[in-house]
Amino acid sequence: MRHPIVVGLQYGDEGKGKITDTLARQADFVIRFNGGNNAGHTLWLEGKKLVTHSVPSGVLSSHAVNFIGAGCVLDPVAFTKELEELVAAGVDLGPERLKIDFRVHLIFPLHRNLDKAREGSATAQQSIGTTLRGIGPTYSTKMDRIGVRAGDLLEPDVEERVEKLVRHANFTLKGLGLPETELKENLEVLALAKSLISKHVSREFAPFYKSRATKKCVLEGAQGILLDLDHGSYPFVTSSNTLGAYAAVGTPFPLGGLGPVVGVAKAYLTRVGNGPFPTELKNETGERIRQNGGEFGATTGRARRTGWLNLDELRAGVQIADVSTIVLTKSDVLCGEKEVFALLDGELKRFEGWPSLTEGSALHPNFETFVAFIEKAMGIPVCAIGTGPDRTDVYWRHKDYNFWPT
Ligand code: IMP
């Protein structure tokens, strides 16, 4: 059996959480492979909105084991808060239901300070518009081979290693003429991590190797592939690899068991932070889409930039990520627009708007034309269409799509 990898096909915020949650209902494991609490996945539980950042989107499926893979980074403070919020909503994630790979790198206050310092000292054109969660600096200290991992928490020299990280950060902060990060604050986070994270730490990988033929898994990517560190619009990217291929590196899951790649794309486009956006709408239509789509960051609350769907970028993404099928989300936000556009081969194509997504049991003819155009341009099927925020709001265009092919 091969196991689906869910990736965003744009700049994040495509609605991956919902489809992962839908697949998680049938799955035994949901495994996240990249990013940290820069992500924000919105899930709806009996009409109540839940936003998760670090934990995989299988948390609402009571039998699924959620696994945070080695390609991720984890902020102990944000993680603790997230678990508390989930417990308050009735979702209790004990160590049996939530496991953290011992190789996950931990985010300390010093990383957030470095993120702020770099963004703050950049000119308006140079600044990336990061989420300021310390993601980039944590991946940097990982690459520098001085990071502290979840599995190091119970090592006798872990305090010294945090001290070393603090000295490293202060060298940069001092150089920029900025206030230093305090050792005490970083050690407090270490103490919190020791008491709360270490019980979730897992050194196992055999379960995935052994059970991949019988247990269903979902590999969950964060952000979108246009923000991929290597393949995205560098430098306006995140600091991890968001392509599905990274699931083979960022988790203990064996390569041969991976695929199909399920790409999630919005019917229009949004981007938070800086970077190119050729179809951006800096007008009333853009504002209407922002308001109707609730396009404000789930993590930072920032207003997202909005624009028309860019099929040229989408096609490049579908090809490089070897996407098998698309889940199209948020088309309902465009209901009532007189006309809708999409960029293909450098030209904006015009579509008649749709008053509703469906007409009887079929798609509204104008919307059907739009969806069929996307399928033709991408050369792959749109298997499902999100029709609203709730997890039941899905129109299955290919009801029998097999997410776990043999
Ligand atoms: P960082 O990941 O915080 O370093 O931010 C780098 C870029 O990725 C910025 O443009 C962020 O707005 C963007 N970004 C990071 N995570 C997400 C996400 O989950 N959704 C949308 N954009 C994101």
Side-chain angles (χ1 to χ4, degrees), residues 13 61 112 164 228 240 302 361 369 373 378-379 391:
D13 311 316
S61 170
R112 284 199 302 275
K164 189 173 165 191
D228 184 275
S240 67
R302 285 185 292 177
S361 60
T369 305
F373 187 87
M378 298 301 113
R391 45 176 268 262

Side-chain angles (χ1 to χ4, degrees), residues 159 162-163 182-192:
E159 271 84 8
V162 172
E163 279 176 39
E182 280 177 33
L183 177 62
K184 184 169 166 272
E185 189 191 6
N186 287 281
L187 288 178
E188 277 166 9
V189 171
L190 177 67
L192 176 77

Side-chain angles (χ1 to χ4, degrees), residues 2 7 9 225 243-245 259-263 315-325 380:
R2 291 189 299 121
V7 296
L9 291 180
I225 64 178
L243 287 184
V261 178
V262 179
R315 184 168 49 194
V318 161
Q319 289 172 355
I320 191 125
D322 204 9
V323 177
S324 300
T325 187
I380 52 170

Side-chain angles (χ1 to χ4, degrees), residues 83-302:
L83 287 196
E84 281 168 5
E85 281 170 12
L86 284 166
V87 168
V91 183
D92 208 346
L93 287 171
E96 285 316 304
R97 281 209 55 217
L98 179 61
K99 295 179 189 286
I100 301 169
D101 193 302
F102 74 100
R103 290 161 286 214
V104 164
H105 279 249
L106 298 177
I107 305 175
F108 287 94
L110 68 99
H111 293 112
R112 284 199 302 275
N113 292 344
L114 285 172
D115 204 352
K116 277 187 205 131
R118 282 191 200 159
E119 286 287 277
S121 60
T123 63
Q125 282 90 352
Q126 288 168 341
S127 93
I128 293 163
T130 73
T131 58
L132 299 177
R133 298 295 187 263
I135 307 295
T138 308
Y139 280 110
S140 296
T141 51
K142 170 181 174 173
M143 294 297 171
D144 264 347
R145 289 145 297 168
I146 54 172
V148 174
R149 307 190 298 175
D152 299 333
L153 284 171
L154 300 180
E155 294 293 327
D157 67 342
V158 66
E159 271 84 8
E160 274 165 49
R161 293 171 66 169
V162 172
E163 279 176 39
K164 189 173 165 191
L165 270 182
V166 166
R167 280 199 301 277
H168 168 90
N170 282 339
F171 183 75
T172 305
L173 292 168
K174 248 197 211 149
L176 291 168
L178 293 169
E180 296 186 20
T181 185
E182 280 177 33
L183 177 62
K184 184 169 166 272
E185 189 191 6
N186 287 281
L187 288 178
E188 277 166 9
V189 171
L190 177 67
L192 176 77
K194 276 186 182 182
S195 66
L196 286 158
I197 291 190
S198 44
K199 61 177 182 276
H200 293 275
V201 173
S202 164
R203 290 178 183 270
E204 291 175 280
F205 61 89
F208 302 118
Y209 190 76
K210 287 193 186 134
S211 60
R212 68 180 159 154
T214 50
K215 301 252 193 235
K216 288 182 171 172
C217 304
V218 180
L219 288 298
E220 179 184 22
Q223 290 84 46
I225 64 178
L226 302 173
L227 288 174
D228 184 275
L229 178 61
D230 291 283
H231 297 273
S233 54
Y234 191 90
F236 301 105
V237 292
T238 190
S239 336
S240 67
N241 289 106
T242 56
L243 287 184
Y246 194 62
V249 177
T251 76
F253 206 85
L255 177 63
L258 292 175
V261 178
V262 179
V264 186
K266 260 186 214 178
Y268 51 93
L269 196 57
T270 60
R271 182 167 195 165
V272 217
N274 297 331
F277 192 165
T279 56
E280 185 165 7
L281 288 165
K282 291 181 176 169
N283 58 13
E284 265 176 35
T285 310
E287 185 53 34
R288 193 165 54 243
I289 292 175
R290 183 175 304 116
Q291 294 301 334
N292 291 348
E295 297 296 355
F296 298 89
T299 298
T300 59
R302 285 185 292 177

Side-chain angles (χ1 to χ4, degrees), residues 295-361:
E295 297 296 355
F296 298 89
T299 298
T300 59
R302 285 185 292 177
R304 296 177 184 144
R305 298 157 70 194
T306 53
W308 297 123
L309 183 61
N310 185 336
L311 292 171
D312 289 329
E313 281 178 353
L314 196 71
R315 184 168 49 194
V318 161
Q319 289 172 355
I320 191 125
D322 204 9
V323 177
S324 300
T325 187
I326 294 176
V327 174
L328 191 68
T329 58
K330 297 192 94 166
S331 316
D332 53 305
V333 171
L334 299 179
C335 284
E337 291 295 329
K338 249 177 61 208
E339 48 185 10
V340 170
F341 292 85
L343 189 76
L344 184 68
D345 299 328
E347 272 175 44
L348 270 183
K349 312 275 178 206
R350 181 185 175 280
F351 298 84
E352 282 297 322
W354 43 87
S356 60
L357 292 185
T358 51
E359 208 173 64
S361 60

